[in-house]
Amino acid sequence: MAPDRPYARLRFSQLEMISEIAETGGVRMAAERLHLSAAAISKSLREIERSLGFELFERLPRGMAPTARGERVVAHARLLLNEIGYMADDSALASPRQGGLIRLGASPYVIAHVLPGLLSALRAAEAADSRMTVRIHEGHLGAMFELLLAGQIDALVTLYALGDLAGTNTDAVAIEKLRDEPIVVVAPPALHPGGRRKVRWSELAAMPWILPAASTHMRRAVEAMFHMDSTMPPVPVIEGTNLQGNVSLCVAGLGCTIAPMTLVREPLESGALRLVNVREAMPSSALALVYRRISAMYRLGVDELRAAAHASFP
């Protein structure tokens, strides 16, 4: 099906202009970035809005903000601009001995403990004379998800819970669970409550805690466990966004923490940490592969990554 003619007539420079106005909040700053006059930007914007039949931006006393329909146009404009950037990168890498490029987002935990196995499976399935370049972008779920929607990365491997993406456009992505990731409570030997009996969460409230950031699903999950035991969640002595860093601080004796079992298996085996046997276990997190549903140049790379992921986590 051919695109509606008003959208088909949009030029690359107009997409850039729409994106810049949205980012800067006004015509003047957008004009400076694009090395154009403010009058030229204003005229072009009016022509686009007249062609589309609706306003893209609300004119405010202190700038401009996208209208509800304008927000969708801005999002698609940025996606198209990033796809063009991807086309340049991918075509530069493509050769008889190169399989192109896939841009993959992941957290520090996933990079250290999940990607080695996943990418090894990907390499094993590739032909020796046609291997993709995998470009890894490190970050946490919220920021990586925005990059995914904007077309700046092609796929995301993450620990995931439904509440993590509340209020975001999850209809635009596919989320495939790879495996369940048990979440456990661990403590250094000096802080362990002792014995093998099952401990109530209320008994752990007075302990020093090293916890993930308040905005994360793991923090919400551990606080929910205290609430279920009619106990106020503790205020952490240390709050960190890096799960590996939190475990290292726990090993140093600074407090107890929660973490994926994969992350703490080695310090548990060495005796640097001990497992706290809680009466009500924390819910597992899902390790998931997330990618945009739309068909694009990178889809072959995503399909190869999907196959490798499911081979790694059958």
Side-chain angles (χ1 to χ4, degrees), residues 137-173:
H137 295 252
E138 181 177 326
H140 295 284
L141 178 57
M144 290 294 100
F145 190 76
E146 291 301 317
L147 293 182
L148 181 65
L149 292 180
Q152 293 180 257
I153 59 174
D154 307 316
L156 169 63
V157 180
T158 183
L159 286 178
Y160 166 77
L162 286 174
D164 284 348
L165 300 177
T168 58
N169 182 22
T170 54
D171 291 340
V173 302

Short mmCIF file of all heavy atoms in Angstrom, two decimals, residues 137-173:
data_model
loop_
_atom_site.label_atom_id
_atom_site.label_comp_id
_atom_site.label_asym_id
_atom_site.label_seq_id
_atom_site.Cartn_x
_atom_site.Cartn_y
_atom_site.Cartn_z
N HIS A 137 25.36 -1.36 23.50
CA HIS A 137 25.07 -0.11 24.20
C HIS A 137 24.70 -0.47 25.64
O HIS A 137 23.75 -1.21 25.88
CB HIS A 137 23.90 0.63 23.54
CG HIS A 137 24.20 1.09 22.14
ND1 HIS A 137 24.40 2.41 21.82
CD2 HIS A 137 24.34 0.38 20.98
CE1 HIS A 137 24.64 2.51 20.52
NE2 HIS A 137 24.61 1.30 20.00
N GLU A 138 25.46 0.05 26.59
CA GLU A 138 25.24 -0.27 27.99
C GLU A 138 24.32 0.75 28.64
O GLU A 138 24.46 1.97 28.45
CB GLU A 138 26.56 -0.30 28.75
CG GLU A 138 26.41 -0.65 30.22
CD GLU A 138 27.76 -0.74 30.93
OE1 GLU A 138 28.74 -1.16 30.29
OE2 GLU A 138 27.82 -0.37 32.11
N GLY A 139 23.35 0.27 29.41
CA GLY A 139 22.45 1.16 30.12
C GLY A 139 21.37 0.35 30.83
O GLY A 139 21.34 -0.88 30.75
N HIS A 140 20.48 1.06 31.51
CA HIS A 140 19.41 0.39 32.23
C HIS A 140 18.11 0.46 31.43
O HIS A 140 18.00 1.20 30.45
CB HIS A 140 19.28 0.99 33.62
CG HIS A 140 20.50 0.74 34.47
ND1 HIS A 140 20.77 -0.49 35.05
CD2 HIS A 140 21.56 1.53 34.77
CE1 HIS A 140 21.92 -0.42 35.69
NE2 HIS A 140 22.42 0.78 35.53
N LEU A 141 17.12 -0.30 31.87
CA LEU A 141 15.96 -0.61 31.04
C LEU A 141 15.26 0.61 30.48
O LEU A 141 14.98 0.67 29.28
CB LEU A 141 14.97 -1.47 31.84
CG LEU A 141 13.69 -1.85 31.11
CD1 LEU A 141 13.98 -2.58 29.80
CD2 LEU A 141 12.81 -2.72 32.01
N GLY A 142 14.94 1.59 31.32
CA GLY A 142 14.18 2.74 30.85
C GLY A 142 14.86 3.46 29.71
O GLY A 142 14.26 3.73 28.66
N ALA A 143 16.15 3.75 29.88
CA ALA A 143 16.90 4.47 28.84
C ALA A 143 17.06 3.62 27.60
O ALA A 143 16.93 4.12 26.47
CB ALA A 143 18.27 4.89 29.38
N MET A 144 17.34 2.32 27.76
CA MET A 144 17.51 1.45 26.61
C MET A 144 16.21 1.28 25.83
O MET A 144 16.20 1.21 24.60
CB MET A 144 18.01 0.07 27.06
CG MET A 144 19.45 0.05 27.57
SD MET A 144 20.69 0.42 26.28
CE MET A 144 21.03 2.14 26.64
N PHE A 145 15.08 1.25 26.55
CA PHE A 145 13.79 1.10 25.87
C PHE A 145 13.50 2.32 25.00
O PHE A 145 12.98 2.19 23.88
CB PHE A 145 12.68 0.89 26.90
CG PHE A 145 11.37 0.49 26.30
CD1 PHE A 145 11.18 -0.81 25.85
CD2 PHE A 145 10.34 1.40 26.16
CE1 PHE A 145 9.96 -1.18 25.28
CE2 PHE A 145 9.13 1.04 25.60
CZ PHE A 145 8.94 -0.26 25.15
N GLU A 146 13.83 3.50 25.49
CA GLU A 146 13.63 4.71 24.69
C GLU A 146 14.51 4.68 23.43
O GLU A 146 14.08 5.08 22.35
CB GLU A 146 13.94 5.96 25.52
CG GLU A 146 12.94 6.21 26.65
CD GLU A 146 11.52 6.38 26.12
OE1 GLU A 146 11.35 7.07 25.09
OE2 GLU A 146 10.59 5.81 26.72
N LEU A 147 15.76 4.20 23.57
CA LEU A 147 16.63 4.08 22.40
C LEU A 147 16.06 3.08 21.40
O LEU A 147 16.16 3.27 20.18
CB LEU A 147 18.03 3.64 22.83
CG LEU A 147 18.86 4.63 23.65
CD1 LEU A 147 20.24 4.04 23.94
CD2 LEU A 147 18.99 5.97 22.94
N LEU A 148 15.46 2.01 21.91
CA LEU A 148 14.86 1.00 21.03
C LEU A 148 13.70 1.60 20.24
O LEU A 148 13.61 1.42 19.01
CB LEU A 148 14.38 -0.19 21.87
CG LEU A 148 13.74 -1.34 21.11
CD1 LEU A 148 14.75 -2.02 20.20
CD2 LEU A 148 13.13 -2.35 22.09
N LEU A 149 12.81 2.30 20.91
CA LEU A 149 11.67 2.90 20.21
C LEU A 149 12.12 3.95 19.20
O LEU A 149 11.48 4.14 18.17
CB LEU A 149 10.71 3.54 21.22
CG LEU A 149 9.94 2.59 22.15
CD1 LEU A 149 9.03 3.38 23.08
CD2 LEU A 149 9.13 1.57 21.34
N ALA A 150 13.21 4.64 19.51
CA ALA A 150 13.72 5.69 18.61
C ALA A 150 14.55 5.14 17.46
O ALA A 150 14.98 5.89 16.59
CB ALA A 150 14.55 6.70 19.40
N GLY A 151 14.80 3.81 17.46
CA GLY A 151 15.58 3.23 16.38
C GLY A 151 17.06 3.36 16.54
O GLY A 151 17.82 3.11 15.59
N GLN A 152 17.53 3.71 17.75
CA GLN A 152 18.96 3.86 17.96
C GLN A 152 19.63 2.56 18.36
O GLN A 152 20.85 2.43 18.28
CB GLN A 152 19.23 4.94 19.01
CG GLN A 152 18.84 6.33 18.53
CD GLN A 152 19.11 7.39 19.57
OE1 GLN A 152 18.19 7.86 20.25
NE2 GLN A 152 20.35 7.77 19.72
N ILE A 153 18.85 1.59 18.81
CA ILE A 153 19.32 0.22 18.96
C ILE A 153 18.28 -0.69 18.31
O ILE A 153 17.14 -0.29 18.08
CB ILE A 153 19.57 -0.18 20.44
CG1 ILE A 153 18.28 -0.05 21.28
CG2 ILE A 153 20.69 0.62 21.05
CD1 ILE A 153 18.43 -0.56 22.70
N ASP A 154 18.69 -1.93 18.03
CA ASP A 154 17.83 -2.86 17.29
C ASP A 154 17.13 -3.86 18.20
O ASP A 154 16.05 -4.36 17.87
CB ASP A 154 18.65 -3.61 16.25
CG ASP A 154 19.43 -2.66 15.36
OD1 ASP A 154 18.84 -1.65 14.94
OD2 ASP A 154 20.62 -2.91 15.13
N ALA A 155 17.76 -4.18 19.32
CA ALA A 155 17.20 -5.16 20.25
C ALA A 155 17.77 -4.88 21.64
O ALA A 155 18.77 -4.18 21.79
CB ALA A 155 17.51 -6.58 19.81
N LEU A 156 17.12 -5.47 22.62
CA LEU A 156 17.48 -5.24 24.02
C LEU A 156 17.35 -6.56 24.77
O LEU A 156 16.36 -7.27 24.63
CB LEU A 156 16.51 -4.20 24.59
CG LEU A 156 16.48 -3.94 26.09
CD1 LEU A 156 17.81 -3.39 26.57
CD2 LEU A 156 15.36 -2.96 26.42
N VAL A 157 18.38 -6.92 25.53
CA VAL A 157 18.31 -8.08 26.42
C VAL A 157 18.31 -7.55 27.84
O VAL A 157 19.21 -6.81 28.25
CB VAL A 157 19.51 -9.04 26.21
CG1 VAL A 157 19.40 -10.24 27.15
CG2 VAL A 157 19.56 -9.51 24.76
N THR A 158 17.30 -7.93 28.62
CA THR A 158 17.11 -7.28 29.91
C THR A 158 16.39 -8.17 30.91
O THR A 158 15.66 -9.09 30.52
CB THR A 158 16.28 -5.98 29.71
OG1 THR A 158 16.15 -5.30 30.96
CG2 THR A 158 14.89 -6.28 29.17
N LEU A 159 16.61 -7.90 32.19
CA LEU A 159 15.72 -8.41 33.23
C LEU A 159 14.47 -7.56 33.19
O LEU A 159 14.54 -6.32 33.13
CB LEU A 159 16.38 -8.32 34.61
CG LEU A 159 17.48 -9.32 34.92
CD1 LEU A 159 18.05 -9.05 36.31
CD2 LEU A 159 16.98 -10.76 34.84
N TYR A 160 13.31 -8.20 33.25
CA TYR A 160 12.09 -7.48 32.90
C TYR A 160 10.94 -7.90 33.82
O TYR A 160 10.79 -9.06 34.18
CB TYR A 160 11.74 -7.80 31.44
CG TYR A 160 10.36 -7.42 31.01
CD1 TYR A 160 10.05 -6.09 30.73
CD2 TYR A 160 9.38 -8.38 30.87
CE1 TYR A 160 8.78 -5.74 30.33
CE2 TYR A 160 8.11 -8.04 30.46
CZ TYR A 160 7.81 -6.71 30.19
OH TYR A 160 6.56 -6.37 29.79
N ALA A 161 10.12 -6.92 34.18
CA ALA A 161 8.84 -7.15 34.84
C ALA A 161 7.83 -6.21 34.21
O ALA A 161 8.18 -5.11 33.75
CB ALA A 161 8.93 -6.91 36.35
N LEU A 162 6.56 -6.60 34.16
CA LEU A 162 5.55 -5.81 33.47
C LEU A 162 5.50 -4.36 33.95
O LEU A 162 5.35 -3.44 33.16
CB LEU A 162 4.17 -6.46 33.64
CG LEU A 162 3.92 -7.72 32.81
CD1 LEU A 162 2.58 -8.32 33.18
CD2 LEU A 162 3.99 -7.43 31.32
N GLY A 163 5.66 -4.14 35.25
CA GLY A 163 5.56 -2.79 35.80
C GLY A 163 6.69 -1.88 35.36
O GLY A 163 6.58 -0.66 35.46
N ASP A 164 7.79 -2.46 34.85
CA ASP A 164 8.95 -1.65 34.46
C ASP A 164 8.63 -0.68 33.34
O ASP A 164 9.23 0.39 33.25
CB ASP A 164 10.10 -2.56 33.99
CG ASP A 164 10.80 -3.22 35.15
OD1 ASP A 164 10.55 -2.81 36.30
OD2 ASP A 164 11.59 -4.13 34.92
N LEU A 165 7.72 -1.07 32.45
CA LEU A 165 7.46 -0.28 31.26
C LEU A 165 6.08 0.35 31.27
O LEU A 165 5.53 0.69 30.22
CB LEU A 165 7.63 -1.15 30.01
CG LEU A 165 9.02 -1.76 29.83
CD1 LEU A 165 9.07 -2.68 28.61
CD2 LEU A 165 10.08 -0.67 29.71
N ALA A 166 5.52 0.54 32.47
CA ALA A 166 4.21 1.17 32.57
C ALA A 166 4.27 2.57 31.96
O ALA A 166 5.20 3.33 32.20
CB ALA A 166 3.79 1.25 34.04
N GLY A 167 3.26 2.88 31.15
CA GLY A 167 3.18 4.20 30.54
C GLY A 167 4.00 4.35 29.28
O GLY A 167 4.05 5.43 28.71
N THR A 168 4.64 3.27 28.80
CA THR A 168 5.42 3.34 27.56
C THR A 168 4.69 2.60 26.46
O THR A 168 3.74 1.85 26.70
CB THR A 168 6.82 2.74 27.75
OG1 THR A 168 6.69 1.37 28.18
CG2 THR A 168 7.60 3.50 28.80
N ASN A 169 5.14 2.79 25.24
CA ASN A 169 4.47 2.23 24.07
C ASN A 169 4.94 0.79 23.82
O ASN A 169 5.68 0.52 22.88
CB ASN A 169 4.75 3.11 22.84
CG ASN A 169 4.04 2.62 21.61
OD1 ASN A 169 3.04 1.90 21.70
ND2 ASN A 169 4.55 2.99 20.44
N THR A 170 4.47 -0.14 24.66
CA THR A 170 4.89 -1.53 24.50
C THR A 170 4.22 -2.21 23.31
O THR A 170 4.65 -3.29 22.90
CB THR A 170 4.57 -2.33 25.78
OG1 THR A 170 3.18 -2.18 26.11
CG2 THR A 170 5.42 -1.85 26.94
N ASP A 171 3.16 -1.60 22.73
CA ASP A 171 2.53 -2.19 21.55
C ASP A 171 3.49 -2.23 20.36
O ASP A 171 3.30 -3.01 19.43
CB ASP A 171 1.29 -1.38 21.15
CG ASP A 171 0.16 -1.53 22.16
OD1 ASP A 171 0.19 -2.51 22.93
OD2 ASP A 171 -0.73 -0.67 22.19
N ALA A 172 4.49 -1.36 20.38
CA ALA A 172 5.41 -1.27 19.24
C ALA A 172 6.52 -2.31 19.30
O ALA A 172 7.33 -2.39 18.37
CB ALA A 172 6.03 0.13 19.19
N VAL A 173 6.61 -3.10 20.39
CA VAL A 173 7.71 -4.03 20.54
C VAL A 173 7.21 -5.45 20.78
O VAL A 173 6.07 -5.67 21.20
CB VAL A 173 8.65 -3.62 21.71
CG1 VAL A 173 9.21 -2.23 21.49
CG2 VAL A 173 7.93 -3.71 23.05
#
